[in-house]
Amino acid sequence: MSFIRKKKQIRFEAAELAESTSYLHNPSCGWYRIHSFAIEEKQDFEELYWCLCAQESIALALVDIGAFRDDAMPEDALDNLRQILEFFGRNGKEVILRVSYDRDGRGMEREPDFLKTVIRHMQQLGPVIGNCKEHILLVQGILVGNWGEMHDSKFLSEGRMRQLFYAWQESLGDIPIAVRTPQQWRILHDDGVAPGRDKVGLFNDGMFGSLDHLGTYGWQKKEEAGWRGQWCREEEIEFTGQVAAAVPYGGEAVGEALESSVSPQASLEVREFPSQEKARGNVSQFSQSEIVEEMRSTGVSYLNSTHDARRLQQWKESLCQEPGVWNQKNMFDYIGCHLGYRFVVRKAELTGKKDLAIKIYIENTGFSTMKEPAELVLFLGQCYTLPDDLCSLLPQETREITVQLPQDGKRIMVKPPQESKEAACKCVVSLSMHRKRDKRPILFANGHLEDGGVKLGVLSWQN
């Protein structure tokens, strides 16, 4: 692309901006795996280091406090928790923290007898967790239930659940808390409160286990169920997407339950599956397109990379039918690469005649939005921080960013990387991004320069 201005040529040679299928090691999204701890035990962090997955930016720490179900936690146990959280931080992992009295599906047996004991434990844990909050993505659950998943507990009546949640929220301060179901979220909020006004999110460890995600969704319209009831699948998906716009949402995708919790009406539905799926034994209640659409509608940002093996293997054996570079890649890779946000630079061009500008077109191909402010930096002889942080860029949405070229009269005020005695000047134009609070790089789904940025093209001119 060339522009002629008063016998002087200004040219922008755009780079080839191909979309990559690489898994991006970006913050706050992607695959995770569970690391389980007993709070009373000292950890061998050298051994634990070798259990970390270098390609995953998130780790779920499941911390069992069942040893102190009837007692206050001693200082050495609380210090063990501090060391666990600091270990993940040192190794570049953001922590999904779940504290529980149970790791074996026996929550009713192992949780305390009295509500005040749980609240006392929350008050002890809160300051330790708060001092490590820069390493914490969110906290799942309110300590009770099987595996800390907020089911099968004597403390989950509406009144007791609210007491525990508010105590936990007070202890944790501004750290986001995720609860297990949309119904529980609504029980904790006044009628009609819009999601996003606080840092309360959702997690779902029953994704695709049945049509209602193992009881996560209900079967009634919200007009029938009321604010504190379970809504039907379509309405809960929409509601979950609204919650996930503010707090990262994810969990575990599981294989179909042997005894599905579907309603009698839903069980009468007949679904057709491709013959190759039947041949592999991968008959599912969900088609590939339904899984992708639901993940995008609910804004899934993170998933367990090792559980459930049945579902994950099904994805690995299924070829992606999405268009473009993903066509015929396996579904496991497609889903993993689209968890959370995923920004692709689609185009860069020089526009204008009098006031020249570079226009950049960026698409979010991920399942969700980016939740924390970031800085976009354009290199044009020197670094320019752009005003847009892409936080509000929705899935499948493209944003146009315009950057005016610095000019003084007839001269292009861009300093080439190296001084040159020649009249012609050249400058590589590139774009990079990092999270604002800690400068952690955020990679685009394009080819990268050594500094992690994307080459947009080469600007050449004569002064």
Side-chain angles (χ1 to χ4, degrees), residues 45-62:
F45 291 111
E46 183 174 347
E47 180 180 347
L48 181 59
Y49 173 81
W50 296 108
C51 297
L52 299 179
C53 178
Q55 296 304 310
E56 295 174 1
S57 62
I58 300 173
L60 191 150
L62 174 59

Side-chain angles (χ1 to χ4, degrees), residues 47-106:
E47 180 180 347
L48 181 59
Y49 173 81
W50 296 108
C51 297
L52 299 179
C53 178
Q55 296 304 310
E56 295 174 1
S57 62
I58 300 173
L60 191 150
L62 174 59
V63 180
D64 186 343
I65 61 171
F68 305 106
R69 66 182 296 270
D70 297 319
D71 303 298
M73 285 177 280
E75 285 301 318
D76 58 348
L78 295 171
D79 191 58
N80 288 341
L81 174 61
R82 176 189 61 78
Q83 291 183 43
I84 290 167
L85 298 177
E86 290 179 347
F87 164 81
F88 286 114
R90 284 195 307 273
N91 288 282
K93 307 296 183 187
E94 291 178 281
V95 177
I96 300 169
L97 177 63
R98 189 188 300 175
V99 183
S100 174
Y101 295 101
D102 168 66
R103 288 183 285 174
D104 299 307
R106 296 161 60 189

Side-chain angles (χ1 to χ4, degrees), residues 59 89 204 242 257 265-266 288 320 333 343 347 415 459:
N204 182 354
Q242 294 170 3
Q265 295 86 348
Q288 183 182 118
C320 183
D333 289 341
F343 300 123
K347 184 180 178 182
K415 183 179 179 182
L459 184 71

Side-chain angles (χ1 to χ4, degrees), residues 27-28 94 136-137 341 369-375 389-391 433-438 442:
S28 302
E94 291 178 281
I136 308 262
L137 180 62
Y341 56 90
T369 55
M370 184 169 60
K371 305 299 187 291
E372 288 193 71
E375 289 184 332
D389 66 2
L390 300 184
C391 266
M433 193 175 188
H434 57 258
R435 189 162 62 180
K436 194 169 185 178
R437 69 175 169 89
D438 58 5
I442 296 172

Side-chain angles (χ1 to χ4, degrees), residues 344-417:
V344 182
V345 183
R346 293 298 188 189
K347 184 180 178 182
E349 61 182 355
L350 188 67
T351 64
K353 293 184 178 180
K354 183 178 180 181
D355 297 320
L356 296 177
I358 291 178
K359 284 191 175 181
I360 308 164
Y361 301 83
I362 301 173
E363 181 184 1
N364 180 7
T365 64
F367 293 147
S368 188
T369 55
M370 184 169 60
K371 305 299 187 291
E372 288 193 71
E375 289 184 332
L376 273 171
V377 178
L378 182 74
F379 181 79
L380 188 62
Q382 65 185 72
C383 291
Y384 296 88
T385 300
L386 307 184
D388 198 318
D389 66 2
L390 300 184
C391 266
S392 60
L393 188 60
L394 298 173
Q396 296 186 307
E397 185 176 79
T398 298
R399 182 162 301 169
E400 175 188 307
I401 298 173
T402 301
V403 184
Q404 298 292 331
L405 284 182
Q407 294 176 251
D408 181 12
K410 302 176 184 179
R411 294 175 61 85
I412 300 294
M413 302 301 290
V414 174
K415 183 179 179 182

